[in-house]
Amino acid sequence: MKKIILILTIILLTIVGFSQKTYYQTDADLFSAWFQRDIAEVGSYPLVIMENKNSSNTAPTLQLWNKGNGLCLMVDTTSTATAAAVAIAFGSIDYGFYRTSDIMYWAIAGTDILTVSASGLTIQNDVDVIGDLTAKTITSDFLTLTDSVLKVKNIQAIYIPDQTTYEGTMIIGDGGGSILPAAKYNTFLGIGVGFSNTTGNYNNFNGYQSGYSNTTGANNNFNGSHSGYSNTTGNYNNFNGYQSGYSNTTGTYNNFNGYRSGFSNTTGTYNNFNGSHSGYSNTTGTNNNFNGYQSGFSNTTGTYNNFNGYRSGFSNTTGANNNFNGSRSGYSNTTGTYNNFNGSQSGYSNTTG
């Protein structure tokens, strides 16, 4: 009986209007207000309407205060309900939340944009899929996070593998695709960097496709686009500069510094080339020290040579045990051995002596 009187009172006040009313719950097993429809509604009228008609009003139409420990708002729909549990209408377009079974949806204009279920979170439409949260997976047209891999536009951006298995390894860029558990303490930075590395350890590759072909080579430092590109098993090499040590495959203990320095070196060892194009043609020559622009440029298999200065020993191919000091010193020497030239253009025309 109390419920009926309360409902009739509210309806009456709604018809005649009222300025302000407060309803108190005094019975522990009742509601302060209950609106119920138990007829087949044929129109489009909701059960309750709250309308704020004055355009100058800035206060909210509905405000909920919760000073207790329970929920401030609970929307309860049947498990088979397909209509939105909460909807905000702007003209003819509805935005809202609804659920079916154990799945909660967020819909915009009749299209499910967001889905939350026990299996994870899904964002649809312009963003494709965000997957299993328990597996630390996020996927979309733009961004993907799968366990330890972050992708942008489906390109690996950051890969920090399990540090128990891949201790000390971090990859920024899309490299390291072939890396195996035995590989440790590697740092790859750039697109295609260390792409083929399998078990190589203690490598630092920086620059576009630097160390691209490295498989098991260890203790290498390659800095610059395509530096150490062809290195496979070479160890203890330091290549700095664009395409420095580009062709090196198994050569070890080499230091190439400068644009295309040691470019053709394949298996040569214990070489130090400093300067743009220094030791450019060296393939298997060992224990050479070339310092200066294009110093030892043509050297292929010559060994134990020291060329210091601009284009010093430029034409040397197989000559060995030579010391050329000064700009263009020993410039034309090709196969000459055991020569000591000191000064600018000293021994310039010597070829085989």
Side-chain angles (χ1 to χ4, degrees):
M1 188 62 181
K2 289 182 180 180
K3 292 180 182 179
I4 296 174
I5 295 173
L6 179 58
I7 292 171
L8 290 175
T9 302
I10 293 172
I11 293 173
L12 179 61
L13 290 172
T14 302
I15 294 174
V16 301
F18 57 90
S19 58
Q20 179 178 332
K21 292 294 178 182
T22 303
Y23 299 95
Y24 292 97
Q25 177 184 346
T26 58
D27 195 324
D29 65 347
L30 292 177
F31 300 91
S32 295
W34 185 346
F35 300 91
Q36 186 181 60
R37 176 161 52 199
D38 195 18
I39 60 173
E41 179 267 318
V42 295
S44 58
Y45 296 104
L47 180 59
V48 178
I49 295 177
M50 295 183 183
E51 184 178 9
N52 192 344
K53 297 184 67 174
N54 193 315
S55 60
S56 64
N57 291 338
T58 58
T61 301
L62 175 64
Q63 182 171 324
L64 303 176
W65 288 349
N66 185 2
K67 297 182 180 180
N69 295 320
L71 297 175
C72 186
L73 173 66
M74 183 178 71
V75 179
D76 187 9
T77 62
T78 65
S79 60
T80 59
T82 58
V86 178
I88 305 174
F90 298 93
S92 59
I93 302 176
D94 288 339
Y95 300 76
F97 295 92
Y98 72 95
R99 75 177 180 89
T100 60
S101 186
D102 294 324
I103 303 176
M104 177 65 76
Y105 298 87
W106 176 29
I108 296 179
T111 301
D112 296 334
I113 301 300
L114 181 118
T115 303
V116 182
S117 65
S119 61
L121 175 68
T122 300
I123 295 181
Q124 297 171 325
N125 201 17
D126 289 337
V127 181
D128 283 338
V129 178
I130 290 185
D132 187 358
L133 293 179
T134 59
K136 303 175 185 177
T137 300
I138 297 178
T139 307
S140 73
D141 279 345
F142 180 75
L143 183 67
T144 302
L145 173 61
T146 305
D147 197 15
S148 300
V149 179
L150 176 67
K151 292 184 178 181
V152 177
K153 280 294 183 182
N154 206 34
I155 298 176
Q156 177 182 293
I158 299 175
Y159 176 35
I160 304 178
D162 177 67
Q163 293 300 294
T164 302
T165 306
Y166 302 88
E167 186 177 0
T169 291
M170 181 178 71
I171 299 168
I172 299 177
D174 69 344
S178 303
I179 201 166
L180 296 176
K184 299 180 185 297
Y185 301 102
N186 294 295
T187 301
F188 302 155
L189 176 60
I191 299 298
V193 175
F195 189 84
S196 305
N197 195 86
T198 53
T199 59
N201 298 316
Y202 296 93
N203 295 298
N204 297 296
F205 301 153
N206 301 291
Y208 178 74
Q209 292 188 346
S210 58
Y212 184 90
S213 304
N214 193 80
T215 53
T216 61
N219 295 278
N220 296 294
N221 297 295
F222 302 154
N223 298 291
S225 176
H226 293 98
S227 57
Y229 179 90
S230 303
N231 193 82
T232 52
T233 60
N235 302 317
Y236 299 98
N237 295 295
N238 297 296
F239 302 153
N240 298 291
Y242 174 75
Q243 292 187 346
S244 57
Y246 181 90
S247 304
N248 193 81
T249 53
T250 60
T252 61
Y253 295 97
N254 295 295
N255 297 296
F256 302 153
N257 299 292
Y259 180 86
R260 287 184 169 173
S261 56
F263 179 88
S264 303
N265 192 82
T266 53
T267 60
T269 60
Y270 295 98
N271 295 295
N272 296 295
F273 302 154
N274 298 292
S276 175
H277 293 94
S278 57
Y280 180 88
S281 303
N282 192 81
T283 52
T284 60
T286 62
N287 294 279
N288 295 294
N289 297 295
F290 302 154
N291 299 292
Y293 174 76
Q294 292 187 347
S295 57
F297 182 89
S298 303
N299 192 83
T300 53
T301 60
T303 60
Y304 294 97
N305 294 295
N306 297 296
F307 302 154
N308 299 292
Y310 175 84
R311 287 184 169 175
S312 56
F314 181 87
S315 302
N316 193 81
T317 54
T318 60
N321 296 280
N322 295 293
N323 296 296
F324 303 155
N325 298 292
S327 175
R328 292 190 174 92
S329 57
Y331 183 89
S332 302
N333 191 83
T334 53
T335 60
T337 60
Y338 294 97
N339 294 293
N340 295 295
F341 301 148
N342 297 293
S344 176
Q345 296 188 358
S346 56
Y348 184 92
S349 301
N350 188 78
T351 55
T352 60

